[in-house]
Amino acid sequence: HIQTITEMLLCQLVQKENNRYALSKEQIRMITTASALHDIGKISIPDEILNKPGRLTAEEFAVIKGHSMAGANMLSELPLDQKEEPLVKTAYEICRWHHERYDGKGYPDGLVGDEIPISAQVVSVADVYDALASERVYKKAVPHEKVLEMILHGECGQFNPILIECLQEISSRIRSECYEEEQET
């Protein structure tokens, strides 16, 4: 779902804000592909925390938050010729900064606004949407109308207002292409 939502958001963003976010089809493809690695750092998180059915303690949540830097570190430890590849650089941005928030209240670096690369901003929105709309071991799926409401009202942190507009504009497509089949089962 993350890749599908990321691609939809990027295409809508370029259509809406081509002067500010002039991304080529190749850049959109690269960000979309790299988005699949956004949570690669979770392989460093103990299973008993990652799959805990109940609420996390503050200490467990701190461990979970470490996945963004763990993923970025994995990519930065690749051999030089590999980590210089544009796809790896983009995946690094996404891994490290997909939990940053537009108002600076995210992690790990507290970046604000467009200090956050657009690749990470878009994946951040896609990740929150999918986390809410999908069933997890620790929670039921949230209905799509409620997902949008939660994101719009800042219950999941602040996002780039342009991306929120894009999300609203494509929300019915996201729902039909990513989640309707799951709701029928």
Side-chain angles (χ1 to χ4, degrees):
H1 295 158
I2 301 298
Q3 287 182 293
T4 302
I5 297 169
T6 295
E7 182 177 29
M8 286 185 204
L9 281 169
L10 287 167
C11 289
Q12 187 68 19
L13 178 65
V14 168
Q15 183 179 337
K16 184 179 196 66
E17 292 285 330
N18 195 26
N19 292 337
R20 185 170 173 197
Y21 298 105
L23 299 169
S24 68
K25 287 182 181 178
E26 179 57 35
Q27 288 171 307
I28 291 171
R29 198 169 21 257
M30 185 172 12
I31 294 168
T32 300
T33 301
S35 72
L37 298 174
H38 77 286
D39 274 344
I40 193 170
K42 284 188 176 177
I43 66 171
S44 69
I45 306 297
D47 285 343
E48 58 272 10
I49 295 176
L50 200 57
N51 299 318
K52 182 177 177 180
R55 191 166 185 82
L56 296 174
T57 66
E59 294 81 15
E60 291 167 334
F61 187 63
V63 171
I64 288 279
K65 285 172 62 174
H67 83 278
S68 57
M69 281 305 300
N73 289 338
M74 286 176 201
L75 294 170
S76 69
E77 292 169 5
L78 289 172
L80 186 60
D81 62 323
Q82 291 176 11
K83 70 180 174 187
E84 291 302 314
E85 289 290 326
L87 179 65
V88 175
K89 287 181 174 185
T90 301
Y92 174 91
E93 292 175 354
I94 292 169
C95 283
R96 181 167 182 149
W97 295 309
H98 74 280
H99 285 288
E100 296 290 352
R101 293 296 178 259
Y102 208 67
D103 59 3
K105 294 182 180 174
Y107 63 87
D109 299 315
L111 301 181
V112 177
D114 284 328
E115 291 176 355
I116 309 164
I118 194 62
S119 59
Q121 289 187 53
V122 171
V123 173
S124 178
V125 173
D127 187 36
V128 165
Y129 191 98
D130 185 60
L132 292 169
S134 300
E135 187 167 330
R136 301 284 195 252
V137 67
Y138 53 87
K139 69 162 202 62
K140 297 279 186 204
V142 175
H144 291 275
E145 296 75 22
K146 179 70 175 164
V147 169
L148 281 176
E149 183 182 308
M150 291 171 74
I151 293 172
L152 293 176
H153 292 101
E155 293 178 48
C156 310
Q158 296 298 311
F159 299 98
N160 183 331
I162 296 165
L163 290 177
I164 296 302
E165 288 176 26
C166 291
L167 179 67
Q168 289 178 286
E169 292 163 0
I170 63 170
S171 65
S172 61
R173 277 188 53 221
I174 292 172
R175 181 179 185 168
S176 65
E177 292 184 33
C178 295
Y179 302 99
E180 277 187 356
E181 187 176 294
E182 292 173 11
Q183 291 180 342
E184 293 169 4
T185 56

